[in-house]
Amino acid sequence: MTRTADRLFVVQFGAERVSKNLSLAGGPHHLYWEPLYGVIVETGEGRVLFDTGMSRASHHSAENTAAYRAGGVGASNLDVPWHLYPEPPRTDDWNWGLPGDPLVAGLAQVGLEPSDISLAVISHMHVDHSGGIGTLTAAGVPIAIQRRELEFVQSGAVGIAEGFNALDWTAPGTQWRVIDGDEELAPGVRAVSTPGHTPGHQSLLVDLPESGSWLFAGDAADLAQNFLDHTPCGSCAGGTDEDAQNAAESIDRLLALARERQARLIPGHDQVVVNAVRHPRGGHR
């Protein structure tokens, strides 16, 4: 019998302005504000957090801003106003986050503090997903990460220009829970290996007693269009043919798992979808 979690909350920490061709292989150079969100899952063994958004330091990093700006050069809609909720606080910035520490502010929206989290699961180590590791480390929260992902960033192969910030994986005292492939992390919560976008990318499968299965893709699929068109992500940080093949196979795997479980399939950076699954009072059950 499948164990289930108790309930979940979806919290948006901020957003970033990036080109659709990073999210969708073969997509146009067209800028979207893509949400940065996390998922809080309550289980009989504590609360599990999936992804943390971007740190305040990365939001204000000149190098990080330069990388965003470089990615936007030549976009067809550079000066077109954003038309979805939430509206970015400033139209001349490339990312925004909740005031103060975005992770702390996001958790506070559902009455929680970092110390209320039992385990944090990081889909991958890009700055827009891993920025809360330092905050969680200070609160004594262990961090679940795929072995291939941790080894990839610790190798020194990538940096700010590629969307990675070493501050996110060098916080003193971080308790790493290293995963090799799929693993049950708590009742109703399972890590699903979906490499390609990065070498050790992972998604999250959550089973709830009333609403059934939820499959959070992370950046294995940024947009609903990835699933609708059966198209992998447009960016593979490893840069090899194997990474591109893995990305295509990860889309296949997510679609097959969603069909098998009749799961709610949630992409990693789609504002329309995130708005649609905003949790009701008391969370999704």
Side-chain angles (χ1 to χ4, degrees):
M1 183 175 180
T2 302
R3 300 200 297 173
T4 63
D6 298 328
R7 60 177 174 171
L8 69 78
F9 301 87
V10 178
V11 176
Q12 184 166 347
F13 303 120
E16 59 187 349
R17 200 178 190 201
V18 298
S19 178
K20 187 175 182 179
N21 61 21
L22 293 178
S23 296
L24 191 76
H29 186 24
H30 187 92
L31 295 175
Y32 287 159
W33 279 99
E34 297 193 350
L36 314 180
Y37 73 89
V39 182
I40 304 156
V41 187
E42 291 190 356
T43 81
E45 296 177 1
R47 297 182 182 89
V48 177
L49 171 67
F50 182 58
D51 279 345
T52 70
M54 191 183 301
S55 69
R56 178 56 56 197
S58 288
H59 274 295
H60 290 305
S61 163
E63 295 88 350
N64 197 32
T65 299
Y68 278 111
R69 185 178 292 113
V73 172
S76 59
N77 64 330
L78 185 61
D79 298 318
V80 175
W82 185 237
H83 51 278
L84 293 176
Y85 171 86
E87 183 177 352
R90 288 179 49 179
T91 57
D92 59 342
D93 257 342
W94 290 88
N95 59 64
W96 64 267
L98 296 176
D101 184 324
L103 173 60
V104 172
L107 292 176
Q109 290 180 354
V110 291
L112 299 176
E113 300 177 355
S115 59
D116 294 316
I117 303 301
S118 299
L119 177 69
V121 185
I122 304 300
S123 63
H124 64 297
M125 295 296 286
H126 272 140
V127 294
D128 52 333
H129 296 262
S130 61
I133 290 177
T135 296
L136 294 165
T137 292
V141 180
I143 310 296
I145 190 80
Q146 290 286 328
R147 185 182 305 277
R148 289 183 64 190
E149 188 72 6
L150 189 58
E151 290 177 348
F152 174 64
V153 294
Q154 289 178 339
S155 72
V158 288
I160 290 290
E162 295 80 27
F164 298 86
N165 189 340
L167 293 176
D168 294 346
W169 63 84
T170 56
T174 300
Q175 304 171 54
W176 298 109
R177 177 171 170 177
V178 179
I179 301 172
D180 291 300
D182 296 357
E183 185 173 317
E184 185 181 58
L185 303 173
V189 181
R190 187 170 188 81
V192 177
S193 176
T194 49
H197 177 65
T198 61
H201 187 282
Q202 61 186 346
S203 304
L204 197 76
L205 176 65
V206 179
D207 289 308
L208 292 177
E210 296 179 17
S211 56
S213 296
W214 296 66
L215 186 51
F216 294 94
D219 284 9
D222 281 358
L223 307 173
Q225 190 175 347
N226 290 91
F227 293 124
L228 289 168
D229 293 344
H230 199 169
T231 302
C233 59
S235 171
C236 295
T240 69
D241 290 342
E242 179 185 5
D243 291 305
Q245 180 63 33
N246 286 342
E249 291 176 357
S250 289
I251 282 285
D252 291 343
R253 184 169 194 219
L254 289 168
L255 286 167
L257 187 56
R259 288 193 299 270
E260 174 191 336
R261 304 293 286 266
Q262 298 182 27
R264 301 166 189 250
L265 194 52
I266 314 299
H269 286 288
D270 192 314
Q271 191 68 67
V272 171
V273 176
V274 170
N275 288 351
V277 299
R278 190 179 297 117
H279 59 263
R281 186 183 301 273
H284 293 287
R285 294 184 183 274

